[in-house]
Amino acid sequence: MLTRDLESTKLHFFDNDRSTAHPDDTTGGMVSWFTSPFKNSLKARNSTAGGISKPSMQYNDAMFGGKKLSSLGTVNKQSVPPVSCGEKNDPIENLAHSIELGNNVPVGSIQHQSTSRGVVEASNAFLDDDPTATVQTAGASDITSRMSSTTSKASVPSSHTSTGIPFIKTEIQDNSPLLHTLKPRVASMSSSSSQLSAPKSMTPIDLRPQRVEETTKAAKTTPRAKRIRFNELRPRISLPQNLSTTDFAQQSIHAAYSSRLNPFALHQDEYRLLRNHICQLHVTAYLNIRNRILRLWVRNPLVGVTPEEAAGCATSSRWLNLAEVAYEWLLRNGYINFGCVEVPDTSHMKVRIYKSKRYRRKTIAVVGAGMAGLGCARQLEGLFRQYHYRLSLLGEEPPKVIVLEGRNRIGGRVYSHPLRNQDAVCIPADARCTAETGAHIITGFDHGNPLNMIIRGQLALHYHLLTDNSTLYDLDGRLIDKQQDALVEKLYNDILDRASIYRHREAGPVIVEGDKTLIEAGRDPQGEADALIGATEKERMRESTRAGSDQLENVPGGMDKLTGKAHMVMGSRKKTAPALAAQAMGWKLASNVLVARDLNLDGVARGREHPTLGAAMDEAVKQYQFLLDLAPQDMRLINWHYANLEYANAANLGKLSLSGHDQDNGNEFEGQHAQIVGGYQQVPRGILQYPAPLDLRTRKVVRRITYDSVGRREGTAQIQCDDGEALDADRIVLTTPLGILKEGKLTFDPPLPLWKLEPIDRLGFGLLNKIVLVYDKPFWDVEQDMFGLLRESEFPGSLDQEDYVKSRGKFYLFWNCIKTSGRPVLIALMAGEAAIHAESTSDADLVSGVSRELRRMFPDSKVPPPSESIVTRWGTDRFARGTYSYVGPTSLPGDYDMMARPVGNLHFAGEATCGTHPATVHGAYLSGLRAAAEIIEELLGPIEVPTPLVPGPSKADNSPKRTSQKRKADEGLAPVVAAAPRVESAAAKGARLDALERDILTCIFAEIGPQPNRVGSKKGSNPFLLYVKEKWEDGKQQANEARNATDNNQKAIRGYIGQMWKKECEDTKRLYRERTESIRVAHNENAATFEARLASWNERALEIRRKYLAERPNVLSAEEEQSMWRQLGVHEHEHGRKAKMKSGYALKTEGTD
């Protein structure tokens, strides 16, 4: 079976200190060159496509720098027929650009050449300007070959958007020819390289469906399925050769961060799985392998990671069992191979299914086609394909997955309402004009948001990055002073911080960490096994308790106006006296104030059985009024922030638990927030359709669920619908909103147990409503993503906090959606009590009220009545009964976890079952992955951990019989802890000494870094070269427009750039000359100090080497040690060994960077 081509090139990093991308390069998607996620995907996972930046992945077109792929079959790119879209001649760019413009894409413009991720369908070589670049296909015989390393060129996109998929944006009822034309046509995967056909010319006829005769003939030679055993696979094949171990380790670490995992510690589920099988020493080896597998996934989320690739992440056959457990855990729990991904299909292979007379194919029914339901169904389909053989051993076929949805659409609380006027502006022509009446924002792509992989890595949807450039208007329409706004915001954050003192705190989880130094160096541990980590569990729990009692914790450090939630930072539990804190903020204290006076919230927080956040914060405001002279405008500003927090929780602050309202703090994703251009609903549509359409049945209103509370009998669940249809199932996944469960109209037989009903009752289900206003022309600043409005109290000018409760959330925030909806659209939010009041207010009254406020805010503009308006009422929606969950005053710690627990063969998913990310779309999706993991464990049983998990070093490790270069490399990684044996072949001795030298160099590099390099003599010597590098894409675009740019004509591009240089003003040229001079100065300084730095590095390296050998006195014989010093150029001296002027490390470090 083929695996992906292995990498030899370094990734581009896009963090602040190693930026290689153009500063304006903010492309929206990893697959902005892709025409379809599956038909024309760039499948070379280990090419430069897919850079990672700390702390998480940043997709960028610079990742698609051209590479010559030296180890694959030849496909001449000149054979690719061009696509006529009037813009570009490059075939990949043309096809992607054609879809971006909404043009029909001719089928066959790029050949789908393979069924395995190791075979490159469309290479980065197409993006290179080198006319000799070719693409080849790899056979199984050269699976260990590596691609040659070249320097990639960063392409500079023009926006934050990536190439979207036009047919995903259609309604699910659409049956357009384009939808079926562009569906994946993936041939049956072969397990033998001999079945790969020779590369063919990329013509449209190559993509026509196979003839029946050909298919039948292929079926006759269908291979027999065989269970993959990791201990029979080859290690190291997924490790890049031309990448330094440190860079490789950093990429793997960042991949773990991008997957919501700590790269240096076991996840709690991993700990429970391995606690009785692994020792502390081997935790490091496991984490290294796990991080490397994640690296493969984040670099190309279009196709699944295979077992062969996972095994190839082990550096030695000794660690293959660790690779098996890591791969199985990541796969089952949805950390890899999730979303709209092409996974290895083994369903065509011959398997022996032991069908009894009572055999019946199982059915999994998913109730609800929101993000949780669709995510669960899609994950189950993928897992069933990947575990097809395992299921066959149990005498079963992969179960059927059926999705039932009560509405006539999918998405649930993700609904992009189409606008009447579809004359789009500011968005791609193929995008629909929609308004988000439900979920609106993607709250950060970075640090593990699974929607990052789906939106940017698989579906390549257009999106708009949001910025907090908002302004606030007072009730009379005047702009609020920025300084006063910042001053009040600091006071609000301080109040929220003081209320957080009463937060419920639990003992931290048991954390088992690996050796951070070894993980950062990409080095596996040495030595013998010690005690299992489970044996020291009590001590770890004591350490966790001590860490939990530390005075540092997450505290509010600022307000995110886009989401209404506080930015959490590490801070002290001990608070400064409020008067001193206010002075530090910039407030002037009222007269006769005692500086040492503190706020006392205990009466509110501890004097009530179920204290609320609102009561504690209101009391803090009252006490601050004795310290500060707060004006009515200050009170309106404070209550604007209150309304924003009510928007984040979908509830009045008086309904939030004081101790648990922020129980999910610390789990926030990072990066800029974003909105999907053309509608958020494209995401669930993509999940529904790819890689194959799910079995969806709409207008199925479920009224009764019968289930087996024990879950041991098959076929004991049934779903009864309002239309009289009954669906029998073996397992049910219920994803209905919490509001439906609280309503009680959905009946269960038997009734749900008390432990399930209690958290349903205790948790709250809130409400947020919107008013969508569509205009013909904008009268507001279209560059601002949002602007706010302060609201008056019930009694004008009041200083009483209670007078602001009912009005503060009414039209308090406006979203400017012209860049995402394609029309001049404003969306006014109604939060807190205002959202509840809107449910019983007529559309006319709401629209006239918001229009009146807009006229006050924009008195110089004639604000017309909206041409179209949409008012949401999620509270009366019979399929929702609200928007999202919150932690109510009576809620207990762990209620979200209890919501997630299955009852027999009835499983639960949805945002209200995800305690780490409640009230979010990504939380709902993650809950679907969790439910799918529960079901696959019920079908296959828990993950089998091999015994022993890590076998001891084999005597054959130093055997002279193993003479192949690959086996020598594996032997070289075995720890060297004893002197050489008396009888030793030359091959075994060489492997032992090479392993020792590798260990020594790893220690040196880990402590002092790599050897200093001499800077090239011509770097930055010409200002015009700098200009060419930055303006290459602009010149290429001009050449494209003139029909002169081909892969064989770089002179035309340089000619256009030369003309651009001549037209530049003298100031611009002077800037490039100054930059050139600064580079030259830096180069000269580097060259002047190079010899001194090199000599210092050599001395330190010798000291580390001596220390290493001193700690291992028997590792070398006297003769071997003398030979080592001679090779390093070190001679004997009366005061010890001295290095020669020229370092001998150059030879030793070759190939290790």
Side-chain angles (χ1 to χ4, degrees), residues 1068-1088:
T1068 301
K1069 293 182 179 180
R1070 185 175 67 255
L1071 291 176
Y1072 281 94
R1073 294 190 187 100
E1074 292 174 353
R1075 288 175 56 188
T1076 303
E1077 183 61 26
S1078 63
I1079 293 174
R1080 185 180 293 110
V1081 170
H1083 169 267
N1084 293 336
E1085 292 176 354
N1086 183 287

Side-chain angles (χ1 to χ4, degrees), residues 406-473:
R407 305 177 190 268
N408 62 350
R409 62 169 179 85
I410 64 170
R413 284 163 281 171
V414 177
Y415 181 43
S416 306
H417 196 296
L419 303 181
R420 288 200 296 262
N421 189 340
Q422 289 292 316
D423 294 335
V425 295
C426 303
I427 63 174
D430 63 312
R432 295 194 310 165
C433 296
T434 62
E436 304 294 0
T437 59
H440 199 157
I441 301 174
I442 302 165
T443 55
F445 280 119
D446 300 340
H447 212 279
N449 191 337
L451 299 184
N452 179 33
M453 293 291 183
I454 297 173
I455 293 173
R456 300 202 292 182
Q458 294 172 349
L459 299 180
L461 297 177
H462 298 264
Y463 62 89
H464 168 62
L465 293 177
L466 301 171
T467 55
D468 184 6
N469 56 356
S470 61
T471 55
L472 295 181
Y473 293 85

Side-chain angles (χ1 to χ4, degrees), residues 32 67 138 164 316 440 462 509 859 969 1046 1099:
S32 57
K67 300 292 171 200
S316 169
H440 199 157
H462 298 264
T1046 66
E1099 289 295 330

Side-chain angles (χ1 to χ4, degrees), residues 241 243-246 997-998 1001-1002 1005 1010 1145-1153:
Q241 287 190 341
L243 193 66
S244 71
T245 55
T246 303
E997 185 64 24
R998 187 181 296 109
L1001 291 177
T1002 301
F1005 296 156
Y1145 282 96
L1147 294 176
K1148 293 294 181 182
T1149 58
E1150 184 176 352
T1152 60
D1153 283 342

Side-chain angles (χ1 to χ4, degrees), residues 832-843:
E833 294 297 321
I836 299 174
H837 183 259
E839 296 279 326
S840 57
T841 306
S842 67
D843 290 4

Side-chain angles (χ1 to χ4, degrees), residues 212-352:
V212 176
E213 297 83 0
E214 296 173 345
T215 306
T216 305
K217 183 177 180 180
K220 294 180 180 179
T221 59
T222 300
R224 185 172 297 279
K226 178 182 178 182
R227 181 173 182 176
I228 296 176
R229 301 184 183 277
F230 269 69
N231 55 13
E232 299 174 358
L233 300 178
R234 297 176 61 185
R236 299 183 59 85
I237 65 171
S238 297
L239 308 182
Q241 287 190 341
N242 291 354
L243 193 66
S244 71
T245 55
T246 303
D247 285 347
F248 179 55
Q250 289 302 311
Q251 293 174 15
S252 302
I253 289 170
H254 299 156
Y257 280 127
S258 300
S259 304
R260 307 180 304 284
L261 291 174
N262 184 344
F264 306 111
L266 296 177
H267 187 276
Q268 286 302 293
D269 291 342
E270 290 176 303
Y271 172 73
R272 284 189 286 268
L273 177 66
L274 298 172
R275 58 188 297 272
N276 294 322
H277 300 274
I278 194 173
C279 67
Q280 180 65 53
L281 184 71
H282 297 154
V283 169
T284 300
Y286 174 86
L287 291 173
N288 276 333
I289 294 171
R290 181 249 270 168
N291 296 344
R292 292 166 191 158
I293 295 173
L294 290 169
R295 171 185 173 272
L296 295 177
W297 168 246
V298 300
R299 288 174 62 80
N300 185 2
L302 283 169
V303 281
V305 180
T306 64
E308 292 85 351
E309 294 170 315
C313 292
T315 58
S316 169
S317 57
R318 185 187 183 197
W319 310 121
L320 285 176
N321 286 345
L322 292 178
E324 179 178 9
V325 174
Y327 177 74
E328 189 90 352
W329 186 82
L330 292 171
L331 178 63
R332 288 196 183 193
N333 289 280
Y335 289 98
I336 61 174
N337 299 7
F338 65 85
C340 308
V341 57
E342 180 184 2
V343 296
D345 184 10
T346 58
S347 60
H348 66 287
M349 293 186 176
K350 291 182 180 179
V351 294
R352 183 175 298 173

Side-chain angles (χ1 to χ4, degrees), residues 493-511:
N493 290 332
D494 180 83
I495 292 171
L496 188 61
D497 185 17
R498 294 179 188 278
S500 68
I501 295 176
Y502 303 95
R503 178 192 304 151
H504 173 78
R505 295 173 176 85
E506 292 182 339
V510 177
I511 297 177

Side-chain angles (χ1 to χ4, degrees), residues 1016-1081:
S1017 59
K1018 293 185 178 181
K1019 186 173 183 179
S1021 59
N1022 191 327
F1024 180 66
L1025 293 180
L1026 288 177
Y1027 186 82
V1028 170
K1029 182 178 180 181
E1030 296 184 359
K1031 299 295 183 179
W1032 183 264
E1033 289 302 317
D1034 294 340
K1036 186 176 181 180
Q1037 182 177 357
Q1038 292 190 20
N1040 284 335
E1041 295 173 354
R1043 300 291 183 179
N1044 290 327
T1046 66
D1047 291 324
N1048 296 317
N1049 190 3
Q1050 298 184 35
K1051 293 183 179 180
I1053 299 176
R1054 291 194 176 92
Y1056 281 102
I1057 297 177
Q1059 296 175 14
M1060 293 165 57
W1061 173 259
K1062 292 179 182 179
K1063 295 178 182 179
E1064 292 287 0
C1065 63
E1066 192 60 32
D1067 291 341
T1068 301
K1069 293 182 179 180
R1070 185 175 67 255
L1071 291 176
Y1072 281 94
R1073 294 190 187 100
E1074 292 174 353
R1075 288 175 56 188
T1076 303
E1077 183 61 26
S1078 63
I1079 293 174
R1080 185 180 293 110
V1081 170

